[in-house]
Amino acid sequence: MCFPHITHICVTHVLDGFTDADLTDSGQVWAHAFPGKEEQEEYLEAVRSDPISRGHDIVRAIRASGLCWDKFLDTLKTGNLKNWFKNHAGGAVQVPELELLWDVRTHWDSSCIMINHLHTLWLALDYFLALPNQKELEGYALSPSQWLVLEDFKRILQVPLRVQQRMSSESLPHLGSTVPCFELLMSAWETLGETNAHLMPWTDVGLKWAVEYYQQMDNTRAYVVTMCKPFVPS
């Protein structure tokens, strides 16, 4: 059983269920996650609009031509020099000069990196998409609620990304260290859902598939034998 493949399956189901009606209609789970009913409805509407796909569209539109990409980079660099980008309090913000990266369906971690870069660049993207000379891109702008959803989903995907990086830290990972990493994935998702109730509908999807594969492993005696690192006499 390939643990990176299992992680890919779990995360793919989370991504595929992003705008699932059963997830966005979890009234009891969402009841106390927001200050009021209006905020809850705004968040749910942002989820239903699928900001992940819309974020992909932003990357595709800006990277469609070298000229458009150069204009965005120029806006990013000049905006940092002239303090164009402001936070909610009106303070100047320096936006990191990151690439807008494509996501690849067969590599779930690329979706996490795409969302991470998008959210990091959101002030510069909002500014650029609102420029008068970018009328053809005006419809690509995201609302504050949609950016919030992207930020939340980034937190969900960062859990398996950290686990994957921990697995990859060894040149030859052994099952004795890989299994605890997979258990870390499950416990981290569980904790994230418990402390952030509005994320539970998605973390529960990942946990469902993770637990299913974990139980299959638990019922296979061969895994018990291979839990110990091989010993080679010197």
Side-chain angles (χ1 to χ4, degrees):
M1 190 177 293
C2 175
F3 284 91
H5 180 60
I6 296 172
T7 303
H8 175 78
I9 291 173
C10 296
V11 176
T12 299
H13 281 287
V14 174
L15 289 169
D16 288 345
F18 180 64
T19 58
D20 193 307
D22 292 336
L23 293 176
T24 57
D25 195 29
S26 304
Q28 186 175 359
V29 174
W30 295 67
H32 304 291
F34 298 93
K37 188 70 174 179
E38 183 178 349
E39 290 83 357
Q40 177 180 332
E41 288 299 327
E42 286 180 1
Y43 191 90
L44 289 176
E45 187 60 33
V47 171
R48 295 187 182 103
S49 70
D50 197 354
I52 293 179
S53 294
R54 295 196 56 169
H56 178 89
D57 291 340
I58 291 174
V59 176
R60 177 180 54 81
I62 295 180
R63 298 299 298 262
S65 72
L67 180 61
C68 186
W69 174 241
D70 289 341
K71 287 181 179 179
F72 173 71
L73 288 180
D74 182 64
T75 299
L76 176 59
K77 294 176 181 179
T78 306
N80 280 330
L81 288 173
K82 299 186 177 182
N83 295 323
W84 287 348
F85 312 128
K86 309 290 183 179
N87 57 25
H88 295 300
V93 175
Q94 292 293 301
V95 178
E97 295 180 11
L98 299 179
E99 292 272 351
L100 283 174
L101 300 177
W102 296 91
D103 61 334
V104 181
R105 183 169 179 79
T106 54
H107 297 279
W108 68 265
D109 53 340
S110 68
S111 297
C112 179
I113 297 171
M114 180 196 76
I115 293 171
N116 187 24
H117 282 210
L118 273 170
H119 186 263
T120 301
L121 292 166
W122 76 273
L123 288 174
L125 286 168
D126 275 357
Y127 189 95
F128 179 72
L129 295 174
L131 290 174
N133 61 347
Q134 298 298 334
K135 287 293 184 181
E136 69 279 7
L137 299 177
E138 186 176 6
Y140 289 92
L142 299 183
S143 69
S145 295
Q146 289 170 326
W147 282 118
L148 178 59
V149 172
L150 277 183
E151 180 182 9
D152 283 341
F153 223 72
K154 179 181 73 173
R155 296 166 64 191
I156 294 173
L157 295 183
Q158 279 180 334
V159 171
L161 182 63
R162 287 195 294 267
V163 172
Q164 178 173 273
Q165 290 171 341
R166 183 168 177 177
M167 288 182 179
S168 303
S169 64
E170 299 181 19
S171 57
L172 183 61
H174 298 285
L175 194 62
S177 58
T178 304
V179 172
C181 284
F182 192 68
E183 292 173 341
L184 176 63
L185 167 64
M186 294 188 292
S187 62
W189 260 346
E190 185 176 7
T191 300
L192 184 62
E194 290 175 349
T195 54
N196 302 269
H198 63 296
L199 303 183
M200 190 178 294
W202 296 291
T203 57
D204 280 355
V205 171
L207 281 170
K208 173 188 173 183
W209 287 92
V211 169
E212 179 178 332
Y213 280 98
Y214 186 83
Q215 289 176 341
Q216 291 181 23
M217 176 197 67
D218 201 34
N219 294 329
T220 304
R221 295 181 179 179
Y223 282 89
V224 179
V225 178
T226 55
M227 278 292 291
C228 299
K229 293 185 177 182
F231 173 72
V232 180
S234 58

